[in-house]
Amino acid sequence: MNDDSAFARHTRPELARLLRAMHLDVTYRAGRGDHLTRERPDGDEGSGAGEHILDLVGGAGSSLFGHNHPALVEVARRCLDEEIPFNAQGSIRPGAAELARRLSETVGATTGASYVVTLGSTGADAVEAAVKHATVEHRRRLGALQEECERLLRRVRRDATGDVACASGPAVGRPCAEVLAEALDLIDGLRRTDPVFVSLRDAFHGKTTAAGTLTHGGNVPEDLHVPGPRHRRLHDWTPDAVVTALDAERIPVPSVTLDAAGVPHSAVLHLSPVAACFAEPVQGESGVHEVPAETLAALRELADRHAAALVFDEIQCGMGRTGTFLASEPSGVVADYYLFSKSLGGGLAKVSALLVAEDRYVPEFGRHHTSTFADDDFSSRIATAALDLALAHRDRITEVGALLRDRLVEVARRWPRAVVEVRGRGLLLGVEFRLPRPASGLLREVLDSESLGYLIAGRILHTHRIRVIPTLSAPATVRVQPSALLEPADVDRVAAAFDEVAGLLSRGDYATLMEHLAMPARGGWQPRRHVPAPRRDRPVRPAADRPDDVPRVAFLANLDVPSTLRSMAPELTGWTDEQCTAALDRMQGELDPFEVVRHRITSEAGAAVEVVMVAVPFTAAQADAALRAGQGAWLRRSVLDGVELAVSLGAGVVGLGGHTSIVTNAARDVVEDGVRVTSGNSLTAACAYDLLRLKLAESGADERRVGLVGAIGNIGAVMAELVAPHCESMVLVGRPGSARRLATVADRIGGVSEVSVADDLEALRDRPIVVTATNSSDPVILPHHLDGDGKVLVCDLAVPGDVHPAVAGLSHVTLVSGGRIQLPGVQTPRFPGITLPPGILYSCLAETILLGFEPTTPSPSYGGLTSAGVLAARDLAVRHGFHPARIVSDDVSVRPWVVDQLSTVLEENIG
Ligand code: PMP
């Protein structure tokens, strides 16, 4: 097992698939300064010749001093040389002590305060510590208040003055013991309720349980979010709104004081369950948004109003990344707690810190909040050295950051259709791209708000050798977070790369923008092991969306061959077949179904429907391979997603074309109560039967020998049942090993005529009539299978066809593509990917449309086909003037149904 497949199988399966789909599945073997060395795409490590990639991701903001900064590596090396103990818990740890002192002094230089520092390993670790500390602080404050009240109550009881009325204040005239008892009740109630934490709209504070609750969205599906502490989000950042946002939480509590003469007076306190307000002074993961100074000041006021702690999460924006040590520094607002991580470890160590202003620190907190890897000297010594670098690089960061920002702003001005804006400060920048609206549904699906940034990242990586990725919860914003070592020449390269991508987007040159997706993937693809149940809401689009309130039906179809991609996305016309194949291979299982086209179709009887074609993005070959490998679950999931889309579009009928019915067990896996579901296969069988009935009726006894391929399948089985009574003999032919299952079909229809089975296609030789309806994505019938003496009629019902193209050239063979229907009148809708002559549709699509004409007719093709269903489908077509089309090579002939004969025969069979 190589690294790729081990990663996909054992580490991060979902991420591996996404990286593969977006061609970001690259491996970096070394990093120095602003550059990473990428393993060559062919995996050739031996030559030592890697590609140098300029890294603007910088460990999601951790590598402010580049990769493996020599000064930091030197500290790490010294730690190892000196064999300093890594695990010396429960002892004095000089490295941790020094780091804490330096952090307190550095922050204190701006705020004037002194801090107690709690070290941890990750950003979320520091956030959790802050949540815990604020909870304890809040509880202790209420506890102190409660104690004070109790003491006073004991005193007035001792002095027998509890009945003395308050001389002033809101409780004037009420006995002071009664007022104190009420206050105690209220305080006790508040102590028993869980504290509330506040964070801003679009905040990102990490993904552990409490931190995840403070984080807004964070691209976490609802069912993966585990609720943490009670929480309020501030959506409105205007200062007045912030200050008063939580006024409803404030509880008025009476208080009593005794004056020098022992006379009670009352007042009112406002207590609140709010324990802490969190903010990132510059939000990183939400797409880089600076929180205005006025909002930060309002947050300070809000926290004070609730006696809560104000927490500045400087995990990403602090440590000098924005040009000042604290990103909050220019605002002049001072918080109670500060959080650091990321750059604190200098890109080498995993370390984080919670700073709590000394006067708020809860004394026992540190005894009870422990973590095995916190306070280690190795990380602490590296972090202390990183702190020196941070202080030394502030001016450089300001200068190079301003240069970079200016250049990116120029790009945004040049391409306003592609770039929304450039945001941020210092070396924490974000470029927000505008979501394009390509013409085709396929590209709208590929270039959605979730994937746009990753697609841009791929283009920039493969074309410009620059590494970027989107911010976590705003994936249309590309983060630009280089190190402080960035050179002006690199700034030019970065600007040129963004300029190229923005130009491609503006011009709508998607074929070039997505070129890297059409490069062959290395390593195999791993399917999802657990396929989640559908979880989308089903907002049915309003009827106004439908022209003339015509009923809507949806037809789902997979891609029969990779080149169908081009017809579904004309933007990719220039792509070769190989590129289409590579792109579909990369994106296997990652694309959602999408709408391709809509058409209005009318019936001869005056009915009308609107048919929406929905593509289910797998190819016939991918479906075949997945089914053979026992990986059908993702195919089924894809189809069910397509059904969800159809239902949300308001379709009353859902037709399952091509492999979409095969992978859903002849549509049985699609369980719907509000829509009719059809595989459309009854009409396919009816068309073929119509043709064969005529042919068999005209033929002599010796000619009525039929070979039927694919009798285990849904269409094949019903064809065998229908055709058997009209022939002298029939052989059911399948793959090697299929004889037993074929025999079951033969037993069912036996007795009508001679029926035999064979698991070798050689059995077709000398059969004047051959019918084939397999699910194979490759041709199964080759010229040599038909090289008997006489003439042969081959009726191929499969899509893609079962018969090798060379067979069409054989003079003794008439090849009829069955299952085609001519629309009534002059209607020639175009369905991308369906290459039939104008006005001709596949029967499965036609059956879907026909059901739309008749809202109460049940689906004839749900689950196993029956002769009765075939008859019903035929009748439907007759009623609406849809006729079978006989296509021999490119020659199309249309004729009415063989109504009388067919009805009689079918009725005889059913009866
Ligand atoms: N806070 C902020 C502002 C962050 O940007 C991040 C990480 N992106 C975190 C907290 C969480 O840090 P970690 O991923 O190390 O838990």
Side-chain angles (χ1 to χ4, degrees):
M1 189 177 274
N2 63 16
D3 294 351
D4 289 19
S5 43
F7 184 78
R9 177 97 195 261
H10 297 297
T11 312
R12 295 261 189 163
E14 274 65 40
L15 180 61
R17 263 193 304 275
L18 177 69
L19 293 178
R20 188 178 194 272
M22 290 288 151
H23 200 174
L24 294 170
D25 49 341
V26 298
T27 305
Y28 297 104
R29 296 289 181 197
R32 180 190 289 174
D34 261 326
H35 287 81
L36 287 169
T37 306
R38 178 188 166 188
E39 183 180 284
R40 285 162 58 92
D42 52 13
D44 176 16
E45 272 177 87
S47 67
E51 263 185 302
H52 289 288
I53 307 289
L54 177 64
D55 182 17
L56 302 186
V57 178
S62 324
S63 310
L64 184 55
F65 316 109
H67 296 276
N68 297 306
H69 189 286
L72 302 176
V73 170
E74 178 53 29
V75 174
R77 214 170 255 144
R78 241 183 295 131
C79 289
L80 297 176
D81 289 345
E82 290 170 18
E83 298 181 338
I84 60 153
F86 178 72
N87 294 319
Q89 296 90 345
S91 68
I92 304 287
R93 304 176 87 173
E98 174 64 4
L99 172 61
R101 183 182 69 79
R102 289 288 311 282
L103 274 170
S104 172
E105 280 175 10
T106 309
V107 176
T110 304
T111 63
S114 179
Y115 298 89
V116 179
V117 180
T118 302
L119 295 177
S121 305
T122 67
D125 235 12
V127 174
E128 297 287 330
V131 166
K132 275 178 69 177
H133 190 277
T135 304
V136 177
E137 196 196 333
H138 182 257
R139 206 182 285 148
R140 290 259 167 118
R141 190 174 318 106
L142 290 176
L145 211 59
Q146 195 174 8
E147 235 175 80
E148 207 180 301
C149 276
E150 280 167 352
R151 207 167 32 80
L152 207 57
L153 190 58
R154 280 200 297 272
R155 183 173 154 189
V156 295
R157 282 182 184 149
R158 183 200 64 191
D159 299 344
T161 54
D163 289 338
V164 178
C166 292
S168 66
V172 66
R174 287 178 61 198
C176 66
E178 183 190 298
V179 176
L180 282 167
E182 184 192 331
L184 273 172
D185 252 14
L186 288 167
I187 296 170
D188 192 50
L190 200 56
R191 283 191 75 185
R192 284 170 202 280
T193 55
D194 290 337
V196 169
F197 293 85
V198 177
S199 64
L200 290 180
R201 176 193 79 220
D202 297 333
F204 191 100
H205 297 289
K207 300 240 174 143
T208 49
T209 306
T213 298
L214 298 173
T215 292
H216 190 183
N219 270 356
V220 181
E222 215 169 296
D223 66 343
L224 280 189
H225 176 70
V226 178
R230 279 214 294 157
H231 172 254
R232 298 276 183 281
R233 176 127 25 244
L234 302 184
H235 291 273
D236 187 345
W237 287 10
T238 50
D240 285 350
V242 169
V243 173
T244 56
L246 299 159
D247 278 0
E249 299 281 353
R250 298 199 325 155
I251 301 166
V253 176
S255 70
V256 174
T257 48
L258 302 179
D259 64 17
V263 177
H265 297 269
S266 73
V268 66
L269 294 173
H270 281 97
L271 300 185
S272 160
V274 177
C277 305
F278 282 73
E280 303 152 84
V282 181
Q283 292 188 331
E285 301 301 341
S286 74
V288 187
H289 290 273
E290 296 187 58
V291 179
E294 312 82 71
T295 305
L296 295 178
L299 279 167
R300 176 70 272 173
E301 220 181 308
L302 172 72
D304 292 343
R305 208 173 167 88
H306 293 262
L310 178 62
V311 185
F312 280 168
D313 177 344
E314 299 245 3
I315 286 170
Q316 183 155 188
C317 57
M319 278 291 285
R321 180 164 281 283
T322 61
T324 47
F325 184 78
L326 293 174
S328 52
E329 221 166 291
S331 74
V333 179
V334 172
D336 305 306
Y337 302 3
Y338 289 90
L339 311 178
F340 300 94
S341 186
K342 297 207 188 235
S343 309
L344 180 61
L348 274 188
K350 297 172 182 175
V351 58
S352 62
L354 155 69
L355 275 65
V356 175
E358 213 165 15
D359 56 352
R360 300 188 78 123
Y361 185 72
V362 174
E364 294 101 314
F365 183 73
R367 248 183 91 181
H368 298 285
H369 180 79
T370 59
S371 170
T372 306
F373 296 126
D375 302 333
D376 69 294
D377 280 350
F378 180 82
S379 306
S380 298
R381 280 166 66 165
I382 293 172
T384 307
L387 210 55
D388 290 334
L389 289 178
L391 296 173
H393 280 82
R394 281 175 295 187
D395 291 346
R396 187 163 205 288
I397 290 171
T398 305
E399 278 159 33
V400 75
L403 178 66
L404 182 57
R405 193 188 148 102
D406 287 350
R407 299 296 305 278
L408 291 172
V409 167
E410 274 170 32
V411 173
R413 286 212 189 99
R414 194 158 38 249
W415 305 108
R417 282 176 54 198
V419 182
V420 178
E421 63 176 344
V422 178
R423 290 185 295 264
R425 231 187 304 151
L427 292 174
L428 175 47
L429 300 175
V431 180
E432 182 179 344
F433 283 89
R434 211 178 288 286
L435 200 60
R437 280 289 292 174
S440 69
L442 169 60
L443 287 208
R444 283 201 296 275
E445 164 55 28
V446 175
L447 289 159
D448 68 5
S449 59
E450 295 290 304
S451 58
L452 176 65
Y454 291 97
L455 194 95
I456 290 169
R459 172 76 192 170
I460 291 187
L461 174 64
H462 294 286
T463 311
H464 300 276
R465 287 178 289 113
I466 296 174
R467 176 171 134 86
V468 290
I469 54 171
T471 53
L472 272 182
S473 37
T477 299
V478 171
R479 68 204 304 154
V480 181
Q481 288 182 274
S483 84
L485 313 176
L486 192 77
E487 295 293 338
D490 294 328
V491 173
D492 290 341
R493 272 185 65 197
V494 174
F498 276 85
D499 193 68
E500 196 246 8
V501 167
L504 291 175
L505 271 167
S506 291
R507 290 192 295 274
D509 184 353
Y510 302 115
T512 309
L513 182 69
M514 293 168 53
E515 231 166 29
H516 60 284
L517 300 187
M519 290 158 80
R522 60 177 195 182
W525 175 80
Q526 297 275 341
R528 283 200 172 97
R529 259 173 287 170
H530 305 290
V531 181
R535 44 165 181 74
R536 281 183 216 149
D537 296 338
R538 295 174 154 200
V540 175
R541 308 258 164 109
D545 180 19
R546 290 175 226 170
D548 318 328
D549 213 9
V550 159
R552 182 173 287 165
V553 301
F555 180 68
L556 272 54
N558 60 291
L559 283 65
D560 52 357
V561 289
S563 57
T564 309
L565 200 64
R566 284 194 298 262
S567 46
M568 289 191 172
E571 298 94 335
L572 305 179
T573 303
W575 278 17
T576 62
D577 285 1
E578 289 70 29
Q579 284 180 301
C580 292
T581 307
L584 285 167
D585 173 48
R586 272 197 180 283
M587 290 189 277
Q588 177 163 345
E590 290 304 295
L591 281 177
D592 283 334
F594 55 90
E595 181 181 330
V596 180
V597 76
R598 315 180 165 198
H599 290 295
R600 185 190 160 106
I601 310 280
T602 53
S603 126
E604 222 169 56
V609 297
E610 189 189 40
V611 56
V612 182
M613 183 183 191
V614 170
V616 180
F618 56 74
T619 63
Q622 285 173 339
D624 266 0
L627 288 174
R628 243 177 275 137
Q631 300 169 345
W634 73 269
L635 300 169
R636 194 160 43 245
R637 179 71 267 144
S638 253
V639 177
L640 295 183
D641 284 345
V643 173
E644 290 287 314
L645 174 60
V647 171
S648 78
L649 290 170
V653 179
V654 177
L656 302 179
H659 275 66
T660 66
S661 64
I662 296 162
V663 304
T664 49
N665 191 15
R668 289 181 194 91
D669 295 342
V670 181
V671 181
E672 292 293 332
D673 57 355
V675 296
R676 287 167 292 158
V677 179
T678 174
S679 67
N681 285 338
S682 288
L683 194 58
T684 305
C687 287
Y689 182 59
D690 192 63
L691 165 78
L692 291 166
R693 260 289 296 147
L694 265 189
K695 174 73 184 167
L696 286 161
E698 290 166 356
S699 308
D702 191 42
E703 308 254 276
R704 293 201 293 269
R705 288 177 297 112
V706 175
L708 198 147
V709 187
I712 294 169
N714 205 10
I715 301 180
V718 83
M719 287 306 296
E721 196 176 315
L722 288 166
V723 174
H726 306 285
C727 46
E728 292 301 312
S729 73
M730 178 182 278
V731 57
L732 307 180
V733 189
R735 289 177 201 282
S738 61
R740 208 168 44 80
R741 289 164 70 199
L742 287 171
T744 317
V745 181
D747 285 349
R748 211 169 49 234
I749 57 174
V752 186
S753 57
E754 182 200 323
V755 181
S756 56
V757 303
D759 62 3
D760 184 346
L761 286 157
E762 297 301 324
L764 295 179
R765 193 169 282 141
D766 291 331
R767 291 275 156 177
I769 298 178
V770 171
V771 183
T772 180
T774 79
N775 299 335
S776 169
S777 58
D778 295 319
V780 291
I781 299 183
L782 309 175
H784 71 88
H785 295 131
L786 304 172
D787 63 1
D789 292 337
K791 287 192 171 304
V792 187
L793 169 73
V794 180
C795 181
D796 186 357
L797 299 183
V799 179
D802 278 342
V803 177
H804 193 277
V807 170
L810 302 175
S811 58
H812 68 293
V813 174
T814 305
L815 174 61
V816 180
S817 305
R820 273 59 164 173
I821 287 276
Q822 165 90 43
L823 288 170
V826 187
Q827 301 187 73
T828 54
R830 254 191 42 71
F831 291 94
I834 298 185
T835 49
L836 292 176
I840 310 263
L841 302 182
Y842 286 119
S843 310
C844 48
L845 170 52
E847 189 180 305
T848 309
I849 294 169
L850 286 164
L851 281 174
F853 293 145
E854 299 189 1
T856 55
T857 301
S859 164
S861 313
Y862 183 73
L865 299 186
T866 61
S867 302
V870 174
L871 178 62
R874 193 282 321 262
D875 284 350
L876 246 177
V878 170
R879 281 200 292 281
H880 295 280
F882 284 43
H883 294 299
R886 204 178 137 173
I887 304 185
V888 182
S889 304
D890 280 340
D891 216 6
V892 185
S893 69
V894 180
R895 47 172 187 70
W897 292 92
V898 193
V899 179
D900 292 338
Q901 296 170 32
L902 188 68
S903 316
T904 336
V905 174
L906 284 168
E907 271 145 21
E908 273 166 17
N909 279 350
I910 299 158

